[in-house]
């Protein structure tokens, strides 16, 4: 079983400001516990992580699912 990782970087930084780890098996609960800033970043990009819950029972390759970079921040969602 893998983990969903959300990394949020400020523009120009190589280290993330925030790293959120949610076990795929608990994604339904984890998405309700996300910090406001993370929820806002996901919503601003139109990303709904609740649809990723179906990955919990599947064997999927680990790695980056999506990387979004705007003027203010970079958002990376991956499975590890």
């Amino acid at each position: 079983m893998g983990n969903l990782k959300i990394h949020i970087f400020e523009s120009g930084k190589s280290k993330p400001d925030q790293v959120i780890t949610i076990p795929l098996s608990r994604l339904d609960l984890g998405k309700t516990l996300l910090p406001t800033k993370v929820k806002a970043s996901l919503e601003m990009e139109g990303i709904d992580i609740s649809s990723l819950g179906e990955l919990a029972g599947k064997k999927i390759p680990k790695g980056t699912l999506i990387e979004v970079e705007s003027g203010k921040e970079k958002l990376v969602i991956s499975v590890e």
Side-chain angles (χ1 to χ4, degrees):
M1 196 72 54
N3 291 315
L4 184 73
K5 288 244 185 189
I6 302 170
H7 296 81
I8 298 181
F9 300 81
E10 276 190 33
S11 183
K13 291 190 177 180
S14 60
K15 280 192 158 187
D17 280 349
Q18 290 185 304
V19 177
I20 309 296
T21 303
I22 306 170
L24 284 173
S25 62
R26 299 306 309 157
L27 193 57
D28 56 336
L29 176 62
K31 70 179 181 168
T32 63
L33 300 173
L34 288 174
T36 305
K37 180 181 177 186
V38 175
K39 284 182 187 179
S41 293
L42 292 170
E43 288 173 8
M44 186 170 58
E45 299 300 336
I47 297 170
D48 179 12
I49 63 167
S50 61
S51 60
L52 298 176
E54 63 192 47
L55 298 178
K58 297 180 181 177
K59 223 177 185 181
I60 60 166
K62 296 180 189 297
T64 301
L65 297 175
I66 188 168
E67 187 173 318
V68 180
E69 197 165 347
S70 67
K72 296 190 310 186
E73 67 183 14
K74 180 168 95 173
L75 174 70
V76 179
I77 300 176
S78 60
V79 175
E80 297 180 5

